[in-house]
Amino acid sequence: MLSELLQFLFSGLTVGAMYALAAVGFSLIYSASGVINFAQGEFIMLGGMSAALLVQAGVPLPMAIALAVLVAAAAGLIVEKLAIEPAGNSEVVTLVIITIGASLTLRGLAEVFLGKGNHALPAFSGEDPLVIFGATLMPQSLWVMGVTIVVVLALALFFGRTALGKAVLATSCNKLAAQLVGINTRFILLLAFGLSAALGAVGGILVAPMTYTSYDVGIMMGLKGFVAATLGGLGSGVGAIVGGLLLGIVEAMTAGYISSAYKDAMPFVLILLILFFLPQGLFGKKTTDRV
Amino acid sequence: MNKRTFIQFTLAAAACAALGTAAAADPIRIGAVLSVTGPAAYLGDPELKTLQMYVETLNKSGGVLGRPLELVHYDDGSESGKANGFAKRLIENDKVDLIIGGTTSGATMAIAPLVERAQVPFISLAGAVVIVEPTKKWMFKTPHTDRMAAERVFDDMKKAGLTKIALLSENSGFGQSGRKEAQAVAAKYGITLVADETYGPKDTDMTAQLTKIKGVPGVQAVFVFGLGQGPAVVTKNFAQLGIKLPLYQSHGVASDEYIRLAGAAAEGVRLPSPALPVAAKLPATDPQKKVVSDYAKLFAERWKAEPSTFGGYAYDGLMLAADAMGRAGSTDKAKVRDALEATTNFVATSGAFNMSASDHMGLSLSAFRMLEIRNGDWTLLN
Amino acid sequence: MTMKPTTRGFLFLAFVLAVLPLALPNGYYYDLAIRMAINASIAVGLNLLIGYTGQISLGHAGFFGIGAYASAILTSRYGLPSGLALIIGAVATAVLAFAVARPILKLKGHYLAMATLGLGIILSMVIINETELTGGPDGMPVDAFSLFGMQIVGEQAWYVVVALILLLVTRAALNLIDAPAGRALQAIHGAEIAARVAGVDTTSFKVRVFVLSAVVASVMGSITAHYVGFLTPGVAGFFHSIELVTMVVLGGMASVFGSILGAVVLTLLPQLLSAFEGWETVVFGLILMLTMIFLPRGILPTLRLKFAGRAA
């Protein structure tokens, strides 16, 4: 009994950590610009796919990972420069459609140039599972969770201690005020996209050994990341992590104890209930609108 | 008119007739609606590549009935509503002579009412039993049915004395069709399904479902019905959880990609499959050896990619169509349909086709081979 | 006598619908026209929600699915008359929409989007999993639509039906916008708090519009089910919801005729893109991006501004 529960928990945490990394990317861009970036899933895909193909071409794993992150970050910068910036101050819905267009373009290009097959990355520390109280955990899962923790700490340091990080927060609070105090908001937005893309890519690379990667993994990962980010409260880094882990655990528990058929629907039922009682999500700030 | 003029005239007339026939060799239009993009792209992409390749090959050797083949194809993006629309376009606007396609059973059934109404022969590339049962006048299909896959696996399980089986199926059309058929034929082989779990096609972790299955008392084997990377993830999770039961997969993973993705965990996995993955291992006396070996070689050379059994279904469809047109002596839709129905012992990648008025699928159970993965490679079981 | 621009537009629409059949050479073109008209009706309904009240719905395909599957199941499995099945589907949708409207519409912006998304996905999952009833992922066939013993079969008959429905929906939408209720709607979008201060019962309006647009989607779902003759769960899926929102935004939010234009463009595009073998997704994505960057208000309003600027 205990080992079963533990196994479901491990499964939930592993998947949840993936969702958490995806969610952090969403929250970051939302923080800096108020845009929901539907192309976030594609950044995750680019990371995993690039790394897998580089390794297949003979590049050593650490180098492949570094290059893959750079590729995704570059894609993020390009999307911001060519698609978001020209749109200026358009309505949010318009920007959402633009990011959807960007996601389709990236996915389509991957389909044409990188093919439709599935690819695997070699596991970082081998394939032998660790046994803990009767439940098993893959070493790769520890990598995913460990890196997620490091990312969270690094982001906390970045936003709390560095001038650049504080500039991002300032921009998200009030763009005009930030500009007035001399912050280059254009650069901040560019940075946000590049950083989110890099984070997404790291997530995609970390999970590729377990879940494989293909040109269309972005769709599901992006959607789940969005759900996790909203669950935790858009714009909150901690919220994104908690949201992601919660989402993963709910899915695993539903599959284990209720019905594997409805495991994808249960998180949404949960979200609807949470949003009905907490309209800002779990950790979102209560917003006040100026009239 | 004197004799010489008469001869000249006759010769001239004959020459005109010959030239006239060559000039009037308007193409035979083969229509295709395939899921080249979207979730079913894994199947539809090799299907399209195969059709394109073999239309070229057939044309190089003179076409069919002395006429070149022209392929008119559309991508339904794995959406049945679009498949219906494109089929309409093929029938009404492009005026094709025959349609090959319907990568998924959903797309096929969405096209069904159109081809029946317009009376156009249609060769489906999808697996559900409902496509040919009950037999519809204008609809044929090339792949084995999902019921045959279940029967083949259950037959093997019965021989091994396995009676309590857990089912893990993908909640896609392919997986659910397999699940339905498995439930329908289990009793015939003395098999009880003690667990029935599902997973999504893009899910990343199935340890929860497998943990549940592991906990079922008396479970003796696991049967997975899915396509693409899902079954590979299941296989890896299977090994991670240390489950020592026999693992059976469906013909959805009869590809080298599955072995590559699942790695060492795939050792000992059994599945039914058309002969294509084991082309090199077939004995020389096997009637299919030449066809599948040639197909595998040509596909790999042309597209620099692994041959796929799904592409093989498209090959079968095109060749059946060409053969039927040849026997019918024309592209008259009714005649071609009758010729398709009369197909006898036509050897192709999925097996030897023997169609009849009551069987528009044409393959027997023995056309499905049983394979086992040993040392990272396919082994043909008897 | 000068006509209002909206009346001019409505008459123009009626004229186009009436003479279009002359330009349609075969069943395939009729099919396209029918699909455009169906999408246009849904888009007009959705536009009332997105464009005029500023509420976003990422799960509208779920309502479409309810109507479609209600019609399919009630007629094919239970033998009910098609008209009755359609009405039952619409009523069920109205009840569901009303039940979730108040809690959902209290949410703002992205949380609202999330809630509608969740609703759509839950509906979609139910349809996929209840295989006994819905045929599951491989779908189910649908009988033809029969009214008073006559069946509506064939593209030409259906064209007349959907064209009439489109005119009806457009007229209703235009009336709603011009009426005091409509001004209330626009006030809500502009500045909700100001509207409330001025005495507009914003929540009641938002709920009503939400339910109305859901019912339109449901009815069109029923129609589509009977017309195509086959249904798969994809009709209630996330992608379909995104397609519907894109039609509204692309054509022009807060513009009834813009939505119709958006529906026409988005229905036509995949047909035109089939020439770009393999590159369809890329080209589609690029078109979306470029259109929204250069015509941020949508096609019709931006063009209208340009021409207005020239005239002035």
Side-chain angles (χ1 to χ4, degrees):
Chain A
M1 271 318 300
L2 174 66
S3 66
E4 264 193 17
L5 175 62
L6 216 49
Q7 190 66 61
F8 296 144
L9 193 63
F10 285 159
S11 165
L13 285 174
T14 305
V15 176
M18 292 182 216
Y19 296 156
L21 279 178
V24 168
F26 269 104
S27 269
L28 194 56
I29 291 186
Y30 179 79
S31 290
S33 66
V35 175
I36 291 290
N37 175 25
F38 272 94
Q40 186 65 26
E42 265 53 54
F43 297 143
I44 299 174
M45 178 272 293
L46 275 177
M49 282 293 274
S50 311
L53 292 172
L54 283 170
V55 166
Q56 271 172 31
V59 177
L61 188 61
M63 177 123 235
I65 294 176
L67 283 174
V69 172
L70 283 175
V71 164
L77 295 173
I78 294 176
V79 166
E80 201 283 326
K81 205 75 196 149
L82 295 181
I84 306 292
E85 212 178 85
N89 283 320
S90 304
E91 275 199 45
V92 168
V93 185
T94 307
L95 287 168
V96 166
I97 303 279
I98 293 181
T99 60
I100 292 177
S103 126
L104 286 170
T105 309
L106 286 173
R107 193 183 323 148
L109 288 172
E111 197 176 7
V112 172
F113 290 114
L114 304 178
K116 298 180 200 190
N118 293 293
H119 303 274
L121 265 183
F124 297 179
S125 325
E127 305 255 338
D128 297 317
L130 306 155
V131 184
I132 304 170
F133 290 121
T136 58
L137 190 63
M138 295 299 278
Q140 195 66 27
S141 301
L142 291 176
W143 273 101
V144 178
M145 294 194 240
V147 172
T148 307
I149 295 176
V150 169
V151 162
V152 172
L153 291 173
L155 283 179
L157 270 173
F158 177 67
F159 285 120
R161 299 288 166 90
T162 64
L164 196 55
K166 294 197 186 172
V168 175
L169 288 179
T171 313
S172 77
C173 257
N174 189 324
K175 198 164 165 190
L176 188 57
Q179 282 173 329
L180 288 174
V181 296
I183 294 176
N184 184 350
T185 51
R186 266 212 187 145
F187 175 71
I188 295 293
L189 203 52
L190 204 58
L191 178 72
F193 264 82
L195 195 55
S196 285
L199 281 174
V202 168
I205 294 169
L206 284 171
V207 304
M210 286 189 291
T211 70
Y212 312 116
T213 180
S214 59
Y215 81 101
D216 62 349
V217 288
I219 305 174
M220 260 301 128
M221 286 305 281
L223 185 62
K224 299 263 170 94
F226 173 47
V227 171
T230 315
L231 185 60
L234 276 168
S236 160
V238 171
I241 304 289
V242 172
L245 291 175
L246 195 60
L247 187 62
I249 293 176
V250 169
E251 272 185 17
M253 292 300 167
T254 309
Y257 290 121
I258 305 175
S259 149
S260 52
Y262 280 104
K263 75 160 172 56
D264 280 331
M266 193 53 79
F268 286 103
V269 173
L270 192 71
I271 284 173
L272 283 176
L273 289 172
I274 289 182
L275 287 179
F276 288 171
F277 295 114
L278 291 169
Q280 274 86 28
L282 291 173
F283 289 94
K285 301 182 258 293
K286 267 200 161 19
T287 50
T288 43
D289 296 316
R290 284 204 71 173
V291 229
Chain B
M1 191 192 292
N2 64 20
K3 196 175 175 188
R4 214 175 72 172
T5 322
F6 179 76
I7 294 176
Q8 280 172 347
F9 180 81
T10 317
L11 283 172
C16 278
L19 278 172
T21 327
D26 66 326
I28 300 178
R29 317 193 86 194
I30 308 268
V33 180
L34 303 167
S35 305
V36 189
T37 57
Y42 186 64
L43 299 82
D45 184 66
E47 285 169 4
L48 178 63
K49 291 191 157 87
T50 302
L51 286 180
Q52 288 174 323
M53 190 167 90
Y54 276 93
V55 162
E56 265 177 36
T57 313
L58 284 174
N59 283 345
K60 270 197 210 123
S61 47
V64 174
L65 299 173
R67 293 160 65 184
L69 292 174
E70 185 189 324
L71 182 66
V72 184
H73 67 94
Y74 297 115
D75 170 23
D76 65 17
S78 308
E79 284 174 54
S80 317
K82 290 218 176 101
N84 177 284
F86 281 121
K88 224 169 246 185
R89 186 169 173 178
L90 285 174
I91 296 173
E92 309 251 1
N93 201 40
D94 301 313
K95 310 246 192 297
V96 296
D97 296 301
L98 176 144
I99 301 183
I100 300 178
T103 303
T104 61
S105 305
T108 297
M109 296 316 288
I111 297 177
L114 296 173
V115 294
E116 288 292 312
R117 210 168 67 199
Q119 304 191 329
V120 176
F122 174 52
I123 303 181
S124 162
L125 305 180
V129 166
V130 69
I131 296 173
V132 289
E133 217 174 87
T135 313
K136 288 169 250 315
K137 189 160 179 219
W138 297 88
M139 291 185 38
F140 298 82
K141 93 184 194 75
T142 53
H144 291 93
T145 61
D146 299 329
R147 178 179 300 165
M148 286 172 157
E151 291 191 302
R152 210 69 177 82
V153 167
F154 286 157
D155 183 62
D156 196 78
M157 286 177 170
K158 186 171 172 194
K159 287 201 194 107
L162 305 165
T163 53
K164 293 206 166 74
I165 311 297
L167 192 58
L168 179 57
S169 56
E170 199 174 275
N171 71 5
S172 62
F174 181 79
Q176 290 307 291
S177 174
R179 172 173 171 261
K180 198 168 92 184
E181 297 308 324
Q183 287 170 336
V185 299
K188 205 166 100 183
Y189 293 86
I191 298 212
T192 334
L193 295 173
V194 297
D196 182 8
E197 301 294 325
T198 62
Y199 67 90
K202 285 291 164 192
D203 279 357
T204 52
D205 180 281
M206 279 57 118
T207 53
Q209 290 93 326
L210 286 172
T211 304
K212 251 169 108 174
I213 287 177
K214 190 177 172 191
V216 172
V219 63
Q220 295 172 307
V222 181
F223 184 17
V224 179
F225 220 102
L227 284 173
Q229 36 86 277
V233 176
V234 170
T235 311
K236 272 225 160 121
N237 291 161
F238 209 76
Q240 173 191 337
L241 293 174
I243 304 180
K244 297 277 179 268
L245 303 169
L247 179 59
Y248 286 81
Q249 294 274 1
S250 73
H251 54 299
V253 294
S255 68
D256 291 337
E257 188 188 85
Y258 170 67
I259 300 184
R260 242 202 346 263
L261 292 177
E267 195 69 13
V269 168
R270 290 193 174 186
L271 51 92
S273 162
L276 194 53
V278 288
K281 301 193 171 62
L282 293 171
T285 50
D286 191 301
Q288 273 193 286
K289 179 140 177 120
K290 180 165 194 319
V291 175
V292 295
S293 304
D294 287 348
Y295 173 75
K297 189 159 142 274
L298 242 76
F299 191 91
E301 265 171 20
R302 169 69 190 270
W303 300 108
K304 306 280 181 290
E306 274 157 14
S308 130
T309 51
F310 300 104
Y313 300 148
Y315 171 91
D316 297 349
L318 183 62
M319 292 309 172
L320 277 169
D323 175 69
M325 284 177 185
R327 276 182 287 118
S330 87
T331 55
D332 174 83
K333 300 189 175 70
K335 293 206 180 114
V336 173
R337 188 216 80 88
D338 291 339
L340 272 173
E341 212 172 61
T343 304
T344 313
N345 205 29
F346 186 83
V347 179
T349 69
S350 306
F353 286 90
N354 285 289
M355 306 258 192
S356 74
S358 57
D359 182 3
H360 278 197
M361 205 229 87
L363 291 176
S364 68
L365 205 50
S366 59
F368 238 166
R369 320 291 182 120
M370 218 39 203
L371 305 180
E372 183 178 311
I373 300 177
R374 289 187 202 151
N375 296 322
D377 200 3
W378 303 107
T379 315
L380 193 55
L381 298 170
N382 287 330
Chain C
M1 181 190 88
T2 45
M3 269 191 281
K4 280 198 292 198
T6 49
T7 318
R8 261 209 311 262
F10 180 74
L11 289 175
F12 181 65
L13 177 68
F15 174 70
V16 168
L17 287 172
V19 301
L20 191 60
L22 298 173
L24 303 176
N26 59 43
Y28 161 63
Y29 286 95
Y30 268 100
D31 178 70
L32 264 189
I34 293 171
R35 287 173 200 263
M36 281 190 228
I38 292 177
N39 283 332
S41 295
I42 308 176
V44 168
L46 190 54
N47 188 20
L48 289 174
L49 189 66
I50 298 183
Y52 288 100
T53 62
Q55 312 296 306
I56 197 162
S57 171
L58 290 184
H60 236 61
F63 299 129
F64 182 94
I66 294 180
Y69 272 91
S71 279
I73 295 172
L74 292 173
T75 54
S76 304
R77 293 203 202 279
Y78 294 102
L80 284 176
S82 335
L84 185 59
L86 186 147
I87 293 176
I88 294 180
V91 168
T93 305
V95 168
L96 179 66
F98 185 76
V100 297
R102 251 168 220 274
I104 283 186
L105 293 173
K106 258 196 286 185
L107 303 167
K108 296 260 183 318
H110 302 297
Y111 300 102
L112 173 63
M114 185 79 262
T116 53
L117 176 66
L119 189 62
I121 290 194
I122 293 173
L123 287 168
S124 178
M125 295 252 76
V126 171
I127 294 175
I128 289 179
N129 283 313
E130 295 310 310
T131 318
E132 294 305 308
L133 211 53
T134 65
D138 270 343
M140 63 179 289
V142 188
D143 295 336
F145 193 97
S146 55
L147 203 59
F148 310 121
M150 275 192 322
Q151 282 196 339
I152 306 183
V153 179
E155 281 85 24
Q156 285 169 321
W158 274 112
Y159 177 82
V160 174
V161 170
V162 299
L164 286 174
I165 295 181
L166 178 59
L167 283 174
L168 203 70
V169 171
T170 310
R171 184 78 256 166
L174 289 171
N175 283 349
L176 185 64
I177 293 165
D178 277 340
R183 307 212 180 269
L185 287 184
Q186 294 178 69
I188 294 173
H189 190 188
E192 181 161 350
I193 307 214
R196 292 231 292 268
V197 166
V200 178
D201 185 351
T202 56
T203 316
S204 152
F205 273 117
K206 290 199 283 189
V207 168
R208 271 192 261 169
V209 171
F210 188 78
V211 171
L212 182 64
S213 67
V215 168
V216 171
S218 166
V219 170
M220 298 324 289
S222 299
I223 299 276
T224 307
H226 287 293
Y227 168 60
V228 175
F230 195 80
L231 268 188
T232 47
V235 301
F238 177 58
F239 289 118
H240 193 200
S241 292
I242 296 289
E243 263 182 340
L244 296 174
V245 171
T246 308
M247 283 179 211
V248 171
V249 180
L250 200 72
M253 292 187 284
S255 163
V256 170
F257 297 107
S259 313
I260 298 178
L261 183 61
V264 167
V265 169
L266 232 62
T267 313
L268 212 48
L269 216 44
Q271 301 295 323
L272 299 173
L273 290 180
S274 66
F276 285 97
E277 288 177 31
W279 290 84
E280 293 102 331
T281 318
V282 180
V283 177
F284 188 66
L286 286 173
I287 291 179
L288 275 186
M289 282 198 286
L290 292 171
T291 315
M292 294 325 297
I293 292 174
F294 292 111
L295 303 168
R297 282 217 164 86
I299 302 177
L300 206 57
T302 313
L303 290 179
R304 211 182 265 156
L305 275 176
K306 281 217 162 85
F307 286 125
R310 251 181 238 170

